[in-house]
């Protein structure tokens, strides 16, 4: 069963505290994490590609090598002379994580500056994934370029999947944030929101309110993630289904719970699973990811796809 998925966004260098004041280097970012987990669980014959922009420096080379080692294609990555990848550092104090970011001049902010490249990449795949973070890092006209291409893909019958992944710190203005996220939803056929974000920033009083709001924006397929409360699915006019979260024996690090859910859910839909089965599998993957450190957990520590 051949097919292809393209995830669009920013992957950053990650610096994490290690023993003796050392820093351990990794690479992560919501849309790349989603591509990583999708790649682990897509059926044979499916490709997963990442679209971003990087520089021409050593760090960019290393990042691309890392992405390719994960089995994710980089043919659609733009190379921008004089720019470098963004970077973030994770601080751990008394079990609490906090983050510092250096990303305001990252190469990825220019990922939508070449509309022809964007169109060719999107046209070449079956499924496109992007997030509210992808939109947040782009200048307003670049975000509009991307949104126009996504609307075109949706009109052409492609599956276009959006996780609003709301990060108010990345937006200069709350009204523009909400308007751009709504524009993202209008360009999508499937929404994968997290209920707590939607309640906080759009005032939704229930998971059902989130579903109705996005249906009102023309989205056919919706899976609302709600942490330990599981996921609620509304696909077309079908029955509304609740899929419980999988048990987690010990929560170690919740980073990437949503991203691992997204990637494994999309991969199992691509494999032909119905939404409820795909969500149940994705919940098991997310539970395993929460039980381990880091955004990208190795395949051996995750459940096997049937
Ligand atoms: P995000 O990380 O995007 O905020 P959620 O917190 O809703 O997303 O988590 C995504 C998925 O991870 C959930 O749908 C659920 O399957 C799983 N999950 C999250 N927190 C827990 C938890 N405490 N116990 C079990 N599963 C969880």
């Amino acid at each position: 069963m051949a097919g292809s998925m393209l995830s669009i966004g920013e992957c950053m260098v990650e610096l994490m505290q290690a023993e003796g004041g050392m820093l351990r280097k990794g690479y992560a970012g919501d849309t790349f994490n989603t591509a990583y987990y999708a790649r682990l669980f897509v059926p044979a014959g499916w490709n997963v590609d990442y679209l971003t922009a990087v520089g021409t420096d050593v760090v960019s080379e290393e990042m691309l090598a890392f992405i390719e080692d994960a089995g994710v294609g980089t043919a659609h990555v733009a190379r921008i002379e004089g720019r470098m990848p963004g970077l973030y550092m994770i601080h751990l104090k008394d079990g609490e994580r906090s983050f510092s970011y250096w990303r305001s001049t990252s190469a990825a902010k220019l990922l939508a500056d070449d509309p022809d490249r964007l169109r060719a990449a999107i046209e070449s795949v079956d499924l496109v994934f992007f997030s509210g973070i992808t939109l947040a890092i782009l200048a307003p006209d670049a975000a509009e370029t991307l949104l126009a291409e996504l609307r075109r893909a949706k009109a052409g019958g492609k599956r276009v999947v959006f996780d609003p992944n709301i990060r108010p710190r990345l937006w200069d203005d709350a009204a523009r944030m909400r308007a751009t996220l709504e524009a993202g939803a209008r360009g999508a056929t499937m929404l994968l929101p997290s209920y707590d974000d939607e309640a906080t920033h759009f005032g939704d009083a229930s998971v059902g309110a989130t579903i109705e709001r996005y249906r009102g924006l023309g989205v056919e397929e919706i899976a609302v993630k709600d942490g330990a409360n599981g996921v609620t699915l509304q696909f077309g006019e079908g029955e509304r289904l609740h899929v419980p979260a999988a048990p987690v024996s010990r929560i170690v690090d919740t980073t990437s719970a949503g991203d691992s859910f997204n990637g494994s859910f999309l991969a199992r839909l691509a494999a032909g699973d119905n939404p409820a089965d795909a969500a149940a599998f994705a919940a098991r993957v997310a539970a395993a990811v929460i039980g381990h450190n880091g955004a990208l957990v190795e395949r051996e520590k995750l459940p096997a796809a049937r």
Side-chain angles (χ1 to χ4, degrees):
M1 192 190 334
S4 53
M5 164 176 167
L6 178 72
S7 182
I8 304 178
E10 175 169 30
C11 183
M12 287 170 286
V13 178
E14 176 191 83
L15 296 179
M16 205 185 306
Q17 283 174 11
E19 290 78 51
M22 308 271 269
L23 290 169
R24 194 166 59 238
K25 183 175 66 178
Y27 303 93
D30 67 332
T31 47
F32 173 65
N33 304 345
T34 295
Y36 170 91
Y37 287 102
R39 180 68 191 86
L40 291 184
F41 300 114
V42 282
W46 264 70
N47 294 319
V48 179
D49 266 85
Y50 196 52
L51 188 150
T52 188
V54 299
T56 53
D57 58 301
V58 182
V59 183
S60 296
E61 294 297 340
E62 286 180 3
M63 178 184 284
L64 289 185
F66 180 86
I67 293 172
E68 278 170 18
D69 272 356
V72 174
T74 60
H76 300 298
V77 175
R79 311 297 296 267
I80 295 167
E81 190 74 47
R83 289 278 186 138
M84 293 201 296
L87 178 151
Y88 70 102
M89 196 184 286
I90 304 174
H91 312 280
L92 248 184
K93 194 165 182 239
D94 307 327
E96 285 291 311
R97 294 155 63 92
S98 64
F99 301 84
S100 302
Y101 291 93
W102 291 261
R103 71 192 306 188
S104 58
T105 58
S106 69
K109 292 175 85 74
L110 306 181
L111 68 84
D113 282 15
D114 182 348
D116 293 339
R117 166 190 291 275
L118 211 50
R119 178 167 299 186
I122 291 173
E123 275 182 348
S124 71
V125 298
D126 301 294
L127 186 157
V128 186
F129 176 82
F130 71 114
S131 80
I133 296 178
T134 311
L135 296 176
I137 63 164
L138 300 177
D141 57 340
E144 186 42 48
T145 302
L146 173 59
L147 288 167
E149 291 305 323
L150 294 168
R151 286 192 292 268
R152 188 171 185 275
K154 178 177 178 173
K158 272 189 213 302
R159 204 169 219 177
V160 181
V161 185
F162 180 49
D163 181 345
N165 229 336
I166 307 177
R167 297 286 184 277
R169 284 210 310 185
L170 291 178
W171 298 86
D172 46 18
D173 174 297
R176 191 174 85 78
M177 173 181 89
R178 284 191 293 269
T180 309
L181 294 173
E182 285 174 353
R186 281 195 200 89
T189 62
M190 189 193 297
L191 258 278
L192 302 176
S194 287
Y195 175 63
D196 54 354
D197 288 353
E198 303 296 319
T200 304
H201 300 287
F202 286 97
D204 296 341
S206 64
V207 167
T210 302
I211 290 173
E212 291 311 326
R213 190 166 50 77
Y214 283 124
R215 278 164 65 90
L217 295 174
V219 184
E220 278 288 311
E221 303 182 323
I222 303 167
V224 182
K225 294 165 278 176
D226 189 14
N229 298 320
V231 177
T232 306
L233 304 170
Q234 178 73 58
F235 272 51
E237 297 308 317
E239 196 186 343
R240 192 165 296 178
L241 297 173
H242 180 259
V243 177
V248 185
S249 45
R250 193 169 72 94
I251 297 180
V252 174
D253 177 1
T254 58
T255 307
S256 212
D259 304 334
S260 60
F261 182 92
N262 292 345
S264 46
F265 182 59
L266 294 174
R268 296 322 299 167
L269 288 177
D273 280 12
N274 67 47
D277 288 347
F281 177 72
R284 288 172 55 217
V285 173
V289 167
I290 294 171
H292 293 92
N293 253 314
L296 307 176
V297 174
E298 301 88 334
R299 181 198 286 269
E300 300 72 50
K301 298 176 178 163
L302 302 174
R306 283 130 298 140

